[in-house]
């Protein structure tokens, strides 16, 4: 996607500078952080968000480890660090999103790299098994976790891996994570971006956006389901509404309709399909625009509406069905979001959540829908770290308990 | 009969029952006089609308020129032409045969155009033009829906209802607010349209199914959907999201290995769509600050599962602030609207219209498993007929709160015991009604045959109502009585009681002067009591001297009030012919006039049972005036006025009264309303609250009802009420008028 290879290169360069900086100011930094050190939790630093479909894990890898520290470091800790940082895939389903990692990041006086890892929630038992085999519990006793799974699997963590979860509210974590990541990313591609000319496919391009004065904003988190939050300040937000038609619905329906089994597969199919063969458009009914109510002919009048006809059912491909599912779910989220923005009188909307991962189709659709139906009043914004903010928020809670 | 059905049954695979169970001429009625057609063709159903005129026998009374010895007045049954709107709904499969039938029976060649709306209008345009030789004139779908919606809300009192799955009666009908605007209309067809309707004109737009729903009704969505508890293990407490809420629709179908049943998937899909629509509707309602949201379209179409999920979703999203309302005739809105568009030159919106219970099929289809009726209905035809009323109907200006006024005292839809009693009661009385109908037309031999048709029709209506009490809105004693009147009219028995009324009026008139004289001999106080007794006794034949206190007795307060200053003007809703009106009401009226109170006598516009009609009352009053100078002076000085109620029912709906009556009431500054008789003061209006003093009197002539109210047969109800905040003037010093 749009030059995702670049950030790695840049970040690597930036990472290269970090040790030398660290060396020059090593002693002062050490002294300054002495006070911090006392309150600083021991390594390893994790933040976890256990959602309905995916577990998101952020791991901070300290890069400023002194030789002395290295010696002190227990073997278990070292092995976890090595395992996580030397691999980009774990088991068959765990993945480290290398392109998202944040290098040269200073957290609690320590400098290092923030890694972003995900795996399906149904593989949580395997993860716990690994934690057990790597004697994770010997390192420290609390693991900050958010998302519904923090509640659902709390006892599994205890019994299977001897781990005590520190459970956190997912929306608190989400907002904290968004604000933090946006504030620390200064190099590489802008964390926040939007689509310029969203209504013109040929001229539609991604542009950086500075989220300097972010409030008020509507935060739409599209995971398995969708939550919509109105955020007025870091500590003042409300959940406006939500919908059960989210990423889980897209994937679930795609699995039923096309027999696919992964999100990537579903997206790949969608990118090759044509939703207008599945959906009934205004022009299919009116022959053109429905002028009286300002509905253009290309607008969808009935999602999947063509599938009522037997011939049309026989002529659509699985890719068409996948595309229509994607468009339906995305447009619906767009509609609800737009109504919420109107009701809350907010003009900026930030879409996050793993439904948007590698899903430019949906992002452009959302950008388009926000712009078109609001006649340019609403701006759809996106963030590079899409689905990881909850986990980041959980990590921050570990470091700076609120 | 089933020619229509058979012809097409092979081509329809999705209907459960493929025969038309009614002969086409019972469906497309009055086609010979039809003009102005409209058609709304949806994805699976066609709705046809036409305007027609019906020839009806109406009973007229006419005073003889010279004082005839034979009888008081002449009764004649004349043919009168009234306007009627016909709406018929049938499956698209029958469209061709239906068009053929219409072509063969269409006499009026003046019709050139048919208004058409709905998605299928396009598809069938050519067919319609070819078959009917009419030009298809397409009308905008949403505009038609809105027009139709306004029309039914304005003209059908129990149009809207709330759906409650687990309540005793699933349908809770709402009294239509006198001001129907603004509202949100959510039409769920193949797509969803949400429209805010603020006035008649201004509109603001915002944005094999049966089988599926049947599947859905058996499915378990929780095996397909990812619930909050699937993610959280329980509820998400801090957000108040309970565990059984859906977190991600179809969320499980991506991960679970097992296959899903069709039922479960259908249910999940239904939940997803219903919730989504409910949510969007709520957001719009909130944005525009609307509390009334009506849902229509084929997705709803009386399906209990969708009504329930939509209701649930609206409740969830608005925490009860917005109510999901459904419409009894939602399937007809488009056809009605298209029709109205084409009939603009007839000014249909300037009239009031009334649902004809005899010709309309009523609301059907509840739980598909429970109601064999519904199954039988599929593949048949549904009809709605609306009669143009002669007068425009409005609220009585003296209602304390028009928006909360409910005419009926008892809702039989919710009261199973009462329902059972009254349905049986009306069934048992049917023989007598048939006999009387025949007797009212002794010289017409085919009256017997018609009376049998009437019997069949009304018995069928009663059976339908037993199964589907909500078929025509809330089931009430009034609706049962009105349905009977409509059925009698349908078979040309306009006034079975005409001769009886004539005889009784004649008899009673002979005693008028004597009665007045004896009243005049009484002391003031004795006379007041005798007058009240007269009104009560006139209401029942064999009323002995009922000792006070009565079952409901505010006579003392009333007497006290009479000692005070006279009322400015009294509005008197009268009841029966004969003794009641002549010896009960008239002397009472006479006394009011003598006190200096103007009197407006409101009687039925058309006949119902033995109730005195306005026509009869005109003649009677003239006769009495000839004998009684007080009445004569009253008429001469315009202090006694006769008005029509606008109704032809033995009961009384104070929210649907003749506009002229309302005007007179307002002009004369009416400060007393008197309602007499069981139909008007007990079955209806017993709890009606008026903004002025009111008197409701009746003798309970039904032992079951008497028992219900805690009394015996012939118990007396004498209810004098003073609205809160108004002094009852009890303390007024000396009696002013007594003589």
């Amino acid at each position: 996607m749009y030059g995702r290879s670049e950030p790695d290169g840049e970040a690597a360069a930036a990472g290269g500078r970090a040790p030398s900086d660290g060396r020059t100011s090593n002693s002062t930094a050490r002294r300054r952080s002495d006070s911090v050190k006392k309150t600083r939790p021991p390594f390893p630093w994790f933040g976890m968000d256990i959602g309905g479909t995916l577990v998101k894990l952020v791991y901070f890898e300290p890069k400023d480890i002194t030789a002395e520290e290295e010696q002190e470091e227990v073997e278990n800790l070292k092995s976890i660090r090595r395992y996580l940082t030397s691999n980009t895939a774990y088991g068959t389903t765990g993945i480290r999103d290398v392109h998202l990692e944040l290098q040269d990041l200073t957290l609690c006086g320590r400098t290092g790299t923030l890694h972003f890892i995900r795996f399906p929630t149904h593989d949580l038992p395997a993860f716990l098994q690994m934690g057990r085999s790597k004697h994770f519990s010997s390192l420290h006793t609390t693991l900050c976790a958010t998302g519904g799974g923090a509640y659902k699997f709390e006892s599994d963590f205890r019994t299977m891996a001897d781990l005590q979860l520190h459970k956190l509210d997912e929306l608190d974590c989400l907002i904290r994570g968004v604000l933090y990541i946006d504030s620390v990313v200064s190099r590489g591609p802008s964390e926040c971006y939007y689509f310029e000319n969203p209504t013109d496919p040929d001229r539609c391009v991604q542009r950086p956006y500075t989220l300097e004065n972010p409030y008020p904003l509507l935060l739409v988190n599209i995971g398995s389901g969708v939550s919509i939050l109105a955020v007025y300040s870091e500590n003042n937000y409300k959940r406006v509404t939500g919908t059960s038609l989210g990423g889980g619905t897209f994937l679930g329906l795609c699995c039923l309709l096309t027999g696919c089994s992964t999100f990537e597969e579903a997206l790949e199919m969608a990118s090759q399909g044509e939703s207008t063969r599945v959906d009934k458009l205004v022009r299919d009914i009116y022959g053109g625009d429905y002028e009286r109510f300002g509905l253009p002919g290309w607008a969808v009048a009935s999602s999947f509406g063509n599938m009522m006809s037997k011939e049309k059912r026989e002529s659509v491909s699985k890719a068409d069905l996948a595309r229509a599912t994607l468009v339906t779910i995305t447009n619906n989220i767009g509609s609800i979001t737009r109504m919420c923005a109107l009701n809350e009188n907010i003009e900026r909307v930030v879409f996050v959540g793993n439904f948007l991962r590698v899903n430019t189709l949906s992002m452009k659709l959302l950008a388009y829908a926000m712009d078109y139906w609001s006649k340019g009043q609403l701006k759809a914004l996106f963030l590079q770290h899409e689905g990881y903010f909850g986990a980041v928020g959980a990590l921050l809670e570990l470091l700076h308990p609120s | 009969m089933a020619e229509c059905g058979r012809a097409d049954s092979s081509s329809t695979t999705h209907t459960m029952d493929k025969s038309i169970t009614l002969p086409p001429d019972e469906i497309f009625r009055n086609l010979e006089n039809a003009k102005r057609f409209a058609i709304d063709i949806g994805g699976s159903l066609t709705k046809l609308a036409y305007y027609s005129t019906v020839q009806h026998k109406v009973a007229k009374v006419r005073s003889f020129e010279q004082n005839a010895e034979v009888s008081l007045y002449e009764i004649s049954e004349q043919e009168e032409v009234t306007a009627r709107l016909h709406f018929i709904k049938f499956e698209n499969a029958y469209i061709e045969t239906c068009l053929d039938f219409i072509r063969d029976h269409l006499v009026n060649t003046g019709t050139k155009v048919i208004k058409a709306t709905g998605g299928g209008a396009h598809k069938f345009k050519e067919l319609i033009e070819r078959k009917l030789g009419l030009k298809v004139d397409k009308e905008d779908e949403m505009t038609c829906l809105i027009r139709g919606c306004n029309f039914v809300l304005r003209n059908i009192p129990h149009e809207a209802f709330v759906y409650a799955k687990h309540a005793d009666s699933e349908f809770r009908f709402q009294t239509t607010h006198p001001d129907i605007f603004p509202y949100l209309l959510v039409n769920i067809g193949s797509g969803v349209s949400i429209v805010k309707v603020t006035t008649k004109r201004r509109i603001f737009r915002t944005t094999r199914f049966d089988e599926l729903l049947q599947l859905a009704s058996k499915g378990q969505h929780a095996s397909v959907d990812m619930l909050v508890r699937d993610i959280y293990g329980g509820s998400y407490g801090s957000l108040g999201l309970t565990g059984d809420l859906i977190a991600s629709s179809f969320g499980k179908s991506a991960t679970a290995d097992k296959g899903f049943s069709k039922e479960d998937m259908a249910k999940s899909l239904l939940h997803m769509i219903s919730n989504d629509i409910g949510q969007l509707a709520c957001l719009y309602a909130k944005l525009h600050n609307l509390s009334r949201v009506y849902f229509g379209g084929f997705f709803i179409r009386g399906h209990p599962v969708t009504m329930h999920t939509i209701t649930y979703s609206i409740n969830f999203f608005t925490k009860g602030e917005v109510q999901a309302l459904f419409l009894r005739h939602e399937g007809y809105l488009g056809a009605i609207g298209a029709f109205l568009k084409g009939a603009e030159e007839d000014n249909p919106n300037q009239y009031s219209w009334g649902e004809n219970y005899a010709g309309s099929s009523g609301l059907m289809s509840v739980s598909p498993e429970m109601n064999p009726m519904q199954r039988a209905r599929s593949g048949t035809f549904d009809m709605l007929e609306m009669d143009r009323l002669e007068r425009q109907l409005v609220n009585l200006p003296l209602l304390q709160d028009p928006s909360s006024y409910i005419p009926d005292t008892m809702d039989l839809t919710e009261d199973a015991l009462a329902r059972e009693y009254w349905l049986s009661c009306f069934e048992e009385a049917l023989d007598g009604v048939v006999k009387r109908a025949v007797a009212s037309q002794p010289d017409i031999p085919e009256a017997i045959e018609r009376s049998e048709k009437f019997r069949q029709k009304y018995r069928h209506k009663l059976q339908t109502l037993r199964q589907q009490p909500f078929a025509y809105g809330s089931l009430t004693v009034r609706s049962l009585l009105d349905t009977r009147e409509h059925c009698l009219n349908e078979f040309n028995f306009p006034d079975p009681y005409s001769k009886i009324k004539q005889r009784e009026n004649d008899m009673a008139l002979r005693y008028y002067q004597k009665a007045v004289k004896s009243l005049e001999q009484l002391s003031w106080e004795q006379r007041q009591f005798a007058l009240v007794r007269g009104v009560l006794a006139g209401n029942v034949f064999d009323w002995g001297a009922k000792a006070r206190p009565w079952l409901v007795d505010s006579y003392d307060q009333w007497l006290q009030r009479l000692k005070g200053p006279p009322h400015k003007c009294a509005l008197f809703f009268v009841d029966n012919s004969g003794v009641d009106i002549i010896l009960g009401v008239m002397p009472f009226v006479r006394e009011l006039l003598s006190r200096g109170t103007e009197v407006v006598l409101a009687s039925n516009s058309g006949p119902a049972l033995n109730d005195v009609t306005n026509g009869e009352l005109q003649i009677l009053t003239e006769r009495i005036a000839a004998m009684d100078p007080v009445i004569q002076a009253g008429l001469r000085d315009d202090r006694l006025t006769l008005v029509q109620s606008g109704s032809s029912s033995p009961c009384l709906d104070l929210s649907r009264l003749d506009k002229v009556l309302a005007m007179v009431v307002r002009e004369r500054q009416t400060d007393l309303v008197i309602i007499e008789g069981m139909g008007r003061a007990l079955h209806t209006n017993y709890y009606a609250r008026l903004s002025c003093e009111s008197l409701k009197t009746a003798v309970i002539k039904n032992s079951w009802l008497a028992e219900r109210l805690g009394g015996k047969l012939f118990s007396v109800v004498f209810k004098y009420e003073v609205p809160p905040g108004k002094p009852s003037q009890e303390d007024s010093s000396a009696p002013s008028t007594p003589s």
Side-chain angles (χ1 to χ4, degrees), chain A residues 256, chain B residues 223-224 253 256-262 264-265:
Chain A
L256 292 174
Chain B
S223 57
V224 183
S253 54
D257 303 325
K258 60 185 165 99
F260 298 96
S261 77
K262 284 180 180 165
D264 291 353
M265 287 192 283

Side-chain angles (χ1 to χ4, degrees), chain B residues 550-606:
Chain B
W550 295 319
L551 183 58
V552 175
D553 191 339
S554 37
Y555 178 72
D556 291 341
Q557 289 91 313
W558 170 244
L559 186 70
Q560 206 56 39
R561 172 64 187 88
L562 287 180
K563 290 173 182 167
H567 294 92
K568 171 76 180 60
C569 173
L571 169 65
F572 202 137
F573 287 99
V574 301
D575 188 20
N576 299 335
S577 286
V579 176
D580 182 19
I581 182 75
I582 296 167
L583 303 179
V585 175
M586 279 304 184
F588 197 96
V589 168
R590 190 178 189 276
E591 180 79 11
L592 286 170
L593 289 169
S594 311
R595 272 170 63 82
T597 302
E598 290 175 37
V599 179
V600 177
L601 282 180
S603 51
N604 268 5
S605 301

Side-chain angles (χ1 to χ4, degrees), chain B residues 5 10 16 160 194 304 306 418 472 566 651 708:
Chain B
S10 52
M16 287 187 279
I194 301 178
T306 55
Y472 299 96
C651 294
R708 261 263 164 141

Side-chain angles (χ1 to χ4, degrees), chain B residues 46-210:
Chain B
T46 296
K47 281 78 70 173
L48 182 79
Y50 55 90
Y51 172 96
S52 186
T53 47
V54 219
Q55 277 229 324
H56 258 309
K57 276 205 168 71
V58 282
K60 292 273 180 192
V61 288
R62 198 167 55 111
S63 197
F64 286 113
E65 287 301 314
Q66 60 274 62
N67 257 353
E69 299 296 311
V70 214
S71 63
L72 181 59
Y73 49 77
E74 182 189 24
I75 307 168
S76 61
E77 290 191 344
Q78 297 169 5
E79 294 287 332
E80 205 178 72
V81 173
T82 53
R84 184 175 288 179
L85 299 183
H86 291 263
F87 302 98
I88 299 116
K89 187 158 71 180
F90 51 88
E91 289 178 26
N92 287 355
Y94 302 124
I95 195 160
E96 203 161 338
T97 34
C98 287
L99 291 175
D100 282 341
F101 182 85
I102 293 164
R103 182 197 52 212
D104 295 347
H105 292 79
L106 197 59
V107 182
N108 189 333
T109 46
T111 310
K112 300 257 185 290
V113 175
I114 181 167
K115 290 282 177 189
T117 186
H122 193 70
K123 194 171 150 196
F124 291 97
K125 181 172 187 278
E126 199 269 328
L127 182 76
I128 298 167
E129 294 193 331
R130 182 163 45 85
K131 292 268 180 192
L132 295 185
L134 300 176
K135 188 182 166 294
V136 170
D137 193 358
K138 282 215 282 173
E139 285 296 329
D140 177 74
E141 196 173 349
M142 276 317 292
T143 316
C144 289
L145 278 179
I146 294 157
R147 275 168 180 270
C149 191
N150 291 343
F151 184 80
V152 293
L153 286 176
R154 205 177 291 122
N155 290 293
I156 302 184
H158 276 167
E159 180 58 32
F161 61 88
V162 166
Y163 183 77
K165 188 183 178 187
H166 301 294
D168 287 345
S169 69
E170 297 161 279
F171 303 91
R172 204 163 301 135
F173 292 92
Q174 309 286 300
T175 36
T176 311
H177 196 278
D179 184 11
I180 61 169
F181 306 111
Y183 65 86
L184 200 66
L185 176 62
V186 183
N187 186 59
I188 317 174
S190 41
V192 181
S193 281
I194 301 178
V195 185
K196 175 185 173 189
V197 187
T198 47
T199 67
K200 216 184 281 178
R201 298 267 164 219
R202 278 198 46 234
I203 293 152
F204 168 76
R205 147 113 200 183
T206 53
T207 174
R208 218 55 14 105
F209 189 62
D210 294 276

